[in-house]
Structures are given as C-alpha cells and as structure tokens.
C-alpha cells in the first residue's frame, strides 16, 4: 500500500507547542526576576540618595581655640574659622590691621595637620582642631 501523505516529523527537542510554552514560562520568570531586581535597585538608590543628602547637610563638630563649634557640611574656609574664633571682631586700631594665623590637626583631608592661610579651606571631620591667633600689624 502506497501512502502519499507524510506524517509530520517531530523535532528532536519535543513538541513545538511544549517548547513554546516552556519558553513563555521562562520569559515570564525572567521578567519577574528583572522586575524584582529593578525594585530592589530603586530602593537602594533612594537609600543612597537619602544618605548623601544627610551627609551634605549634616553639621560637623570642630574645636576652635578650645571651644566646640558646629559647622555645616565637611569643609571650612580660613575666613569661616576666623569668624568662629573671633565672633565679635571689631575693627583694628586706626592705621593698623589684624593678621590671623591658623593651624589645624585631625582633619579629614590630607595633610591631616598643618597651617591654613587666607583663602584656604580644609575638609574636616568630627573633632578637627583649629588654633587661631590674631596679631595687630602696623
């Protein structure tokens, strides 16, 4: 007997419908995992942004001429420290000028200790110590 129509041959990997369903389930699983990873990354990003915001706006306790002072952030300038050391700084005597000298230690920036001059700045951490002296220059 001669049969002219052929039986469809089954691929070696199984039924095409089963393969397609398996692929759909795998894709759904991968999509769900990606969605969970995205949500986790968004939570981590929000937490990191919050930490950064707090760090930028946090006050740091420093010591200026043996007195504890609070400064915003983690960087101070020579001029800021002079104002903290001499808050009621009146004008110098006529024909004279004030000259300030300053040393620091236990700073966050390198070097951790040294002298700071006008226009300079230093990165501070809790407990950075400044010694500021004022002399009259004629």
């Amino acid at each position: 007997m001669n049969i002219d129509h052929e039986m469809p041959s089954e691929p070696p990997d199984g039924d095409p419908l089963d393969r397609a369903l398996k692929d759909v389930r795998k894709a759904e699983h991968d999509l769900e995992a990606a969605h969970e990873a995205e949500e986790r990354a968004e939570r981590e990003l929000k937490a990191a942004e919050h930490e950064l915001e707090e760090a930028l706006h946090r006050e740091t306790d420093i010591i200026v001429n043996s007195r504890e002072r609070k400064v915003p952030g983690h960087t101070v300038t020579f001029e800021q420290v002079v104002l903290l050391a001499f808050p009621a700084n009146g004008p110098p005597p006529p024909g004279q000028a004030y000259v300030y000298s300053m040393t620091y230690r236990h700073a966050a920036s390198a070097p951790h200790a040294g002298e700071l001059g006008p226009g300079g700045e230093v990165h501070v951490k809790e407990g950075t110590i400044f010694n500021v002296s004022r002399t009259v220059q004629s």
Side-chain angles (χ1 to χ4, degrees):
M1 181 167 162
N2 187 0
I3 300 178
D4 287 320
H5 65 288
E6 284 185 37
M7 296 280 295
S9 65
E10 190 169 312
D13 292 337
D15 181 38
L17 182 58
D18 288 340
R19 276 195 326 249
L21 288 173
K22 182 180 174 184
D23 290 346
V24 166
R25 284 192 292 274
K26 182 180 180 325
E28 287 173 342
H29 177 266
D30 291 348
L31 185 59
E32 184 177 333
H35 181 66
E36 289 172 2
E38 179 184 21
E39 287 178 343
R40 183 176 55 255
E42 285 178 3
R43 285 191 304 272
E44 291 171 359
L45 179 60
K46 283 183 183 182
E49 287 173 343
H50 180 71
E51 288 177 29
L52 180 61
E53 190 68 27
E54 282 186 351
L56 290 174
H57 292 96
R58 189 181 96 196
E59 291 184 328
T60 304
D61 292 323
I62 63 172
I63 309 296
V64 179
N65 289 353
S66 301
R67 293 187 299 269
E68 189 171 299
R69 302 288 189 213
K70 292 188 180 298
V71 294
H74 298 287
T75 302
V76 295
T77 64
F78 175 89
E79 290 74 18
Q80 286 174 309
V81 178
V82 166
L83 288 175
L84 292 171
F86 300 98
N89 197 11
Q96 299 178 339
Y98 290 137
V99 176
Y100 299 94
S101 60
M102 181 181 311
T103 61
Y104 65 91
R105 60 188 170 176
H106 304 299
S109 58
H112 301 295
E115 294 182 9
L116 191 62
E121 66 180 29
V122 66
H123 297 285
V124 295
K125 62 183 180 182
E126 296 292 319
T128 299
I129 299 170
F130 291 89
N131 292 308
V132 185
S133 61
R134 175 177 72 181
T135 57
V136 177
Q137 183 179 28
S138 49

